[in-house]
Structures are given as structure tokens and as C-alpha cells.
Amino acid sequence: MTLSVLSLVLGALAGGALGAVYLGLLWVAVRSLPQDRGGVLVFVGLGLARVALLLGALAATVAVGLPIEAVAAAVAGFIAVRFAATRWLGKARFGGATWK
């Protein structure tokens, strides 16, 4: 079975979209931690939501029967979004060093 370039690009875009949702949930979870009440509950709840997102994506790939190349393209898209987000948001603020 051959894969077209379009299916690889679509896989990378889907992985990037999942990465954006995942990192958005992580951002909200981390921002909720300093709260006096309920911050930990929000963090744990959003952690479970991130796990459900990833397990759902894996279950969907198995159910659809995507080839490993498409899954690899999705992982590459996920990693690209993560790398871009850490470069964009990872700038040092308030005189602190950039976290890596």
C-alpha cells in the first residue's frame, strides 16, 4: 500500500492539532496550580483529560487502521507544535532564565 504526500500532510496536521489541544490543556492546568482552592483538582482533572485525548487518538488510529507512516507523520506534527510552543512561550520573563 502506498501513501500519498497528501495523507502524510493530513496526518501531520492532525497530529499538530492534537498537540495544540494537548498543550492548551497543559497550559490551563499549570496556570490553575497557584490558586488557593481547587487548583490541584483542576490540574488532576485536566491531566486525566490529556490522557483521555491521547488514548482516544490512539484508539482512533487503530479503529481506522492507519498505516504506521501516517502515525509517524502525526507524531512529527505533535512534536513540531510542542517545539514551536516551547520556543514561542519559553522566552525568559522577569529576569529569569529560559526553562528547557
Side-chain angles (χ1 to χ4, degrees):
M1 180 190 312
T2 62
L3 242 87
S4 69
V5 173
L6 179 63
S7 64
L8 292 177
V9 169
L10 289 176
L13 289 175
L18 284 172
V21 171
Y22 182 90
L23 291 174
L25 289 172
L26 181 61
W27 178 260
V28 171
V30 170
R31 300 288 285 177
S32 71
L33 276 177
Q35 296 176 357
D36 288 337
R37 295 178 184 243
V40 173
L41 293 176
V42 171
F43 184 79
V44 170
L46 290 174
L48 293 174
R50 290 190 317 270
V51 168
L53 177 72
L54 292 179
L55 290 177
L58 289 175
T61 58
V62 169
V64 173
L66 291 177
I68 193 68
E69 293 88 359
V71 175
V75 170
F78 188 99
I79 291 171
V81 167
R82 185 238 175 237
F83 187 72
T86 55
R87 291 293 172 215
W88 180 50
L89 296 173
K91 303 291 183 198
R93 292 182 183 95
F94 307 113
T98 302
W99 182 80
K100 294 184 180 181

